[in-house]
Amino acid sequence: MNVHQLSIAYVPEQDRILVRVNTREERELHFWLTRRLAFGLTRVLGKAVAEHATRRGGLPSAHIAVMGEQSKQAVAEFQRTETLGKADFSTPYQAPRSAPLFDSPLLVTEVQVAPLNNGQLRLSCSENLPGGAASRSFELALADQLMHAFVHLLERAMQQSAWREVGGNTLASATDPDPASAPLPPSYLN
């Protein structure tokens, strides 16, 4: 799939995050992320993006092998800042006129993240529900800009969800805004 637009938003009525992908082929893919899966995916993507950014930075393998996690995170954060500065988050998401790829949004129950030889990061998502329901799945290959934008939009949706707040206490996160700040408006990637 060639991604044209990406939207990630928290839906309070469902207490889930809805991800919508508009492809260049005028098709739409939409899927749900639960709280448990979103937290796990955030951690896995953070590590995968840091590792990917370090390798894409052109450093020799010997240097990468001895780099600590903080150094890898710093390289990733530098690339992320640079990449997000070029992204378009102001154009509203426009659903294609054609029918979505699936009749209803998938409820993602399993995600696998793997680097590809062409420098992209592959997200393999599947829905395996109990009760004999047919399994559905898809794969997204994310280039650098989409990879950083996906993580950015996912983090913003998690901020909107207030899932990190437990009993009036806020769980610390390096990317969380000031808790007293106003709700974030919807954001999009074009």
Side-chain angles (χ1 to χ4, degrees):
M1 268 184 267
N2 294 317
V3 177
H4 174 62
Q5 283 184 307
L6 178 66
S7 170
I8 302 177
Y10 174 68
V11 179
E13 298 80 12
Q14 293 281 338
D15 195 29
R16 301 182 203 173
I17 292 176
L18 179 63
V19 180
R20 298 171 68 192
V21 179
N22 181 355
T23 70
R24 295 206 186 278
E25 295 82 19
E26 296 279 328
R27 299 300 305 260
E28 184 178 38
L29 168 67
H30 42 250
F31 56 96
W32 294 109
L33 298 175
T34 62
R35 178 181 177 166
R36 179 187 60 80
L37 196 116
F39 274 111
L41 182 59
T42 302
R43 282 190 295 275
V44 169
L45 276 178
K47 289 180 182 178
V49 168
E51 189 70 32
H52 179 77
T54 304
R55 293 197 187 290
R56 299 277 296 163
L59 297 172
S61 296
H63 289 115
I64 294 171
V66 297
M67 286 180 76
E69 284 302 314
Q70 287 183 336
S71 298
K72 290 177 183 178
Q73 289 293 337
V75 170
E77 188 58 35
F78 175 77
Q79 286 186 359
R80 176 182 174 162
T81 302
E82 185 176 291
T83 301
L84 291 179
K86 299 173 189 172
D88 176 8
F89 290 105
S90 61
T91 304
Y93 181 86
Q94 296 176 339
R97 292 185 179 103
S98 61
L101 291 170
F102 297 106
D103 292 338
S104 62
L106 277 78
L107 176 58
V108 175
T109 58
E110 183 179 326
V111 178
Q112 296 178 353
V113 179
L116 297 173
N117 291 335
N118 64 1
Q120 297 180 332
L121 197 62
R122 180 182 63 217
L123 291 178
S124 301
C125 301
S126 61
E127 174 188 67
N128 299 311
L129 301 176
S135 177
R136 302 185 292 176
S137 63
F138 65 91
E139 287 186 359
L140 289 175
L142 304 175
D144 286 345
Q145 183 176 10
L146 280 172
M147 180 184 357
H148 289 293
F150 187 94
V151 171
H152 174 74
L153 293 175
L154 179 59
E155 288 173 349
R156 287 190 62 173
M158 290 179 70
Q159 290 169 1
Q160 291 173 334
S161 74
W163 286 340
R164 289 189 174 103
E165 295 177 6
V166 179
N169 297 325
T170 302
L171 301 177
S173 173
T175 59
D176 281 348
D178 177 54
S181 65
L184 299 171
S187 58
Y188 315 95
L189 175 68
N190 295 293

